Amino acid sequence: VRIGTSFISGDQARLNLDRELPRNKTFTDIAQESRARWNSVLGVVKVQGGEQGDPRGDKGRLVTFYSSMYRAAIFPRSLAEMNSTGHTIHWSPYDDNGNVFDGEIATDS
């Protein structure tokens, strides 16, 4: 199953899908790329030690830390997308008319 998403439109979702998951890539290709990307995101910090006497132990602290880091990384902060010409555009939740604008927009910043 291939699924494309967009904050802008169904046509933009199709464009995003074709750009992000080209038909010539296999499930294995995508899984390997995803694993490498997550490892690079989750590997930006190194966790060592902890407080002595913590009943969770080192493994518990690592699970909590990396689970929290994962959750922080899965939500998209950038709401911008690339159109068919490679230009950055975005839909703004602050526009009453549902217009699409040039440039970046982000949330949680």
Side-chain angles (χ1 to χ4, degrees):
V1 173
R2 297 171 63 231
I3 299 173
T5 63
S6 171
F7 292 107
I8 296 172
S9 70
D11 289 340
Q12 183 65 41
R14 167 58 69 181
L15 182 64
N16 293 345
L17 173 64
D18 292 341
R19 182 180 289 130
E20 295 170 10
L21 297 173
R23 290 190 180 274
N24 65 339
K25 288 192 178 183
T26 66
F27 178 84
T28 302
D29 294 336
I30 294 166
Q32 288 173 343
E33 289 174 13
S34 297
R35 180 177 298 279
R37 180 68 181 124
W38 272 118
N39 285 339
S40 74
V41 169
L42 296 177
V44 297
V45 295
K46 183 175 180 181
V47 180
Q48 294 180 344
E51 294 184 33
Q52 290 202 346
D54 188 328
R56 295 174 297 166
D58 285 342
K59 184 176 180 184
R61 285 190 295 277
L62 288 174
V63 168
T64 299
F65 176 80
Y66 283 112
S67 294
S68 298
M69 191 171 173
Y70 165 80
R71 285 176 180 78
I74 62 171
F75 181 76
R77 300 310 193 265
S78 173
L79 303 179
E81 302 176 38
M82 265 194 285
N83 66 13
S84 60
T85 64
H87 188 76
T88 303
I89 57 174
H90 70 275
W91 166 83
S92 174
Y94 309 109
D95 178 62
D96 292 336
N97 299 317
N99 293 314
V100 175
F101 299 91
D102 288 336
E104 295 280 345
I105 189 171
T107 184
D108 288 350
S109 55

